[in-house]
Amino acid sequence: MLRYLLIAFLLNAVQVQAQVKTGWYRAVIQRADSVAIVFNAEAVVEKGKTVLYIRNHSERLKVEKIELKEDSVLIDMPFFESSFQLKKQSDHSLTGTWIKGTSRTTPLQLPVTFYYGNSQRFKVTQQPKALLTGRWQVTFTRAAGGERPAVAFFQQKGNYVSGSFITPSGDYRFLEGVLNGNKLQLSCFDGSHAYYFKADVTGTNITNGFFYSSASAPEQWRAVKNSKAALPDTTQRTQLKEDESRLNFSFKDINGKTVSINDEQFKNKVVIIQLMGSWCPNCMDETEFLKGFYAQYKTKGVELIALAYELSPDETRSRTSLQKFINRFEITYPVLIAPATSSDPEKTEKTLPQLTPIRSFPTTIFIGRDGTVQQVHSGFYGPGTGDYHEAFKKEFYQIVNRLLSGAKPGEH
């Protein structure tokens, strides 16, 4: 009996040693240029199991898959090809590597440390010397040259700043940080995005800005406060070719079943085609929206099809990544694997030759009851964009309701 009690005690001791300590962590991803990308996470116990919540302003990303073995901790993000391989330290911090799948054969790997006991993202060192709240007209300068437009909108309470950037193809999701004096710092992490922004703020001008994304070369940025800041119209968005009226495709889902837009289940229905990828954060936000929308409208004559353009031509890798994505969002509509990667310059010709080039993910295609393409929308503005997100949802429902009634877009 004593022997069994001793074994039980030792096993329990190992289990206690292996647990991730509950509480807040300040995670620091270290780039090769010594710039740190910072975010916060909280470990809590739910139903006897330790889970992690990654914080980005009001967003909480729940991570449930945490594997423990002796002093090793493997944290697998619930979407994206993203994980952490960590070791426990004596002060309860976790050190190791962030691993992220890319279009290359080898994944991106960057050092990371989760410092225990710190819910603060950036230190507050002095009172703010500017007010960021409002809209800003932004210009990014690419590392290789050339400019791209954006609009930023910020909310500031004391030193604390939140907000996002929007571009013609989407948004940068939930950002949070601080303004110390005239020094702005913002960041976010969701498993795919690892962003850090810094800049100087003087009155209604933002200068000396730098934007760091994962291991990519930094971009410069500047901004001017403007309550009417807006994105320019672009003529390069995806659209139906002039001599085409409908799509014609048949692709396999992750189980190998072939699904065609010409199948009986889609006839006389309003069909929404979501061009997406399991690697795409804006696609994640759109999928969350579409999940709720489909629950409302699937009995009204609406069907959805997701067409996934993955990072790799390796079907096994694509199926694995998509299955994780499907599980996370409990997707009930077909998710098909496109026979072209997201970076393939011929992806449109190989998959949907009836369209002009696919330039951004997600892209949403609206098909009327007669099977013809009625509208194409590039990009998605997620919940981190506030009014832009609400405007997008309103327009989306208006388009669908018009198509259900038999009217064309623009008709009433």
Side-chain angles (χ1 to χ4, degrees):
M1 175 62 74
L2 181 61
R3 176 185 176 187
Y4 290 120
L5 289 173
L6 180 60
I7 291 173
F9 172 79
L10 291 173
L11 288 173
N12 184 63
V14 170
Q15 180 67 17
V16 170
Q17 181 185 17
Q19 291 298 319
V20 172
K21 189 171 178 62
T22 57
W24 280 101
Y25 291 80
R26 180 178 185 266
V28 179
I29 296 172
Q30 200 68 53
R31 289 168 46 98
D33 57 8
S34 299
V35 172
I37 300 176
V38 182
F39 64 96
N40 298 95
E42 184 182 18
V44 300
V45 175
E46 294 182 355
K47 298 179 180 180
K49 180 182 178 181
T50 301
V51 299
L52 195 70
Y53 284 93
I54 293 175
R55 186 189 83 206
N56 295 297
H57 181 43
S58 60
E59 177 183 60
R60 298 293 185 273
L61 294 175
K62 187 176 183 179
V63 184
E64 297 181 272
K65 193 172 181 180
I66 303 174
E67 297 182 11
L68 306 154
K69 186 176 181 181
E70 297 179 351
D71 64 343
S72 296
V73 181
L74 173 63
I75 300 174
D76 188 22
M77 293 295 290
F79 26 68
F80 312 127
E81 296 179 22
S82 181
S83 63
F84 297 95
Q85 291 185 355
L86 308 168
K87 293 282 188 180
K88 285 191 63 178
Q89 305 301 311
S90 58
D91 63 353
H92 304 297
S93 294
L94 307 169
T95 62
T97 305
W98 173 44
I99 303 170
K100 174 189 172 183
T102 68
S103 58
R104 299 177 180 178
T105 55
T106 56
L108 169 69
Q109 298 189 48
L110 292 175
V112 63
T113 299
F114 285 71
Y115 294 98
Y116 178 71
N118 192 345
S119 63
Q120 192 176 51
R121 185 160 298 202
F122 302 106
K123 287 185 178 180
V124 173
T125 59
Q126 55 183 302
Q127 292 296 313
K129 296 181 179 179
L131 181 62
L132 280 159
T133 297
R135 293 164 69 99
W136 297 74
Q137 193 73 57
V138 181
T139 301
F140 286 97
T141 302
R142 295 180 176 90
E147 296 184 341
R148 58 188 183 91
V151 172
F153 49 94
F154 301 122
Q155 290 289 329
Q156 180 181 340
K157 294 183 178 180
N159 290 90
Y160 185 81
V161 180
S162 61
S164 192
F165 295 81
I166 63 169
T167 70
S169 61
D171 67 90
Y172 286 6
R173 308 197 72 251
F174 298 89
L175 300 172
E176 70 167 279
V178 297
L179 181 65
N180 283 313
N182 71 329
K183 302 293 183 182
L184 173 65
Q185 293 176 284
L186 294 164
S187 68
C188 77
F189 178 81
D190 57 24
S192 180
H193 283 153
Y195 286 171
Y196 172 51
F197 298 83
K198 69 175 185 177
D200 296 335
V201 185
T202 305
T204 58
N205 291 282
I206 296 177
T207 59
N208 301 321
F210 287 88
F211 165 44
Y212 303 90
S213 173
S214 299
S216 300
E219 295 185 10
Q220 297 184 46
W221 67 284
R222 64 187 187 275
V224 176
K225 200 167 191 178
N226 181 354
S227 61
K228 298 182 180 179
L231 294 172
D233 291 332
T234 174
T235 59
Q236 295 186 337
R237 294 188 178 187
T238 303
Q239 55 190 319
L240 192 71
K241 291 179 179 177
E242 289 186 5
D243 56 345
E244 300 285 355
S245 62
R246 60 183 68 220
L247 302 180
N248 182 24
F249 63 82
S250 298
F251 302 121
K252 293 181 179 179
D253 65 15
I254 63 171
N255 298 313
K257 177 186 176 182
T258 298
V259 176
S260 171
I261 186 60
N262 300 312
D263 287 345
E264 190 66 30
Q265 71 182 95
F266 305 117
K267 290 183 178 180
N268 301 315
K269 300 285 187 67
V270 171
V271 182
I272 299 167
I273 310 295
Q274 177 196 24
L275 308 186
M276 49 78 72
S278 63
W279 48 269
C280 165
N282 285 152
C283 301
M284 172 184 72
D285 288 333
E286 185 187 47
T287 300
E288 183 67 35
F289 164 72
L290 289 176
K291 172 187 172 182
F293 163 79
Y294 189 52
Q296 289 179 283
Y297 274 72
K298 63 183 178 181
T299 60
K300 297 181 180 182
V302 175
E303 291 291 341
L304 266 69
I305 304 173
L307 182 53
Y309 294 77
E310 292 300 285
L311 294 174
S312 168
D314 184 333
E315 289 189 13
T316 300
R317 175 181 167 186
S318 296
R319 285 196 300 269
T320 300
S321 185
L322 281 167
Q323 185 65 71
K324 182 161 65 168
F325 194 90
I326 291 168
N327 292 344
R328 169 61 180 81
F329 293 103
E330 299 177 332
I331 300 173
T332 57
Y333 49 87
V335 179
L336 313 183
I337 303 175
T341 64
S342 59
S343 59
D344 188 338
E346 297 182 351
K347 58 181 173 288
T348 311
E349 291 79 5
K350 291 178 179 178
T351 58
L352 300 173
Q354 301 84 16
L355 300 178
T356 60
I358 300 167
R359 299 184 181 277
S360 63
F361 294 95
T363 288
T364 309
I365 304 168
F366 298 87
I367 298 176
R369 290 183 182 274
D370 62 356
T372 62
V373 174
Q374 296 298 319
Q375 197 156 331
V376 181
H377 183 91
S378 298
F380 178 79
Y381 295 136
T385 65
D387 291 343
Y388 280 88
H389 181 59
E390 295 305 315
F392 171 87
K393 289 194 297 182
K394 181 179 179 180
E395 181 185 12
F396 187 97
Y397 278 99
Q398 287 176 343
I399 292 171
V400 172
N401 287 330
R402 283 199 297 266
L403 293 178
L404 284 172
S405 70
K408 306 294 185 184
E411 295 179 352
H412 298 282

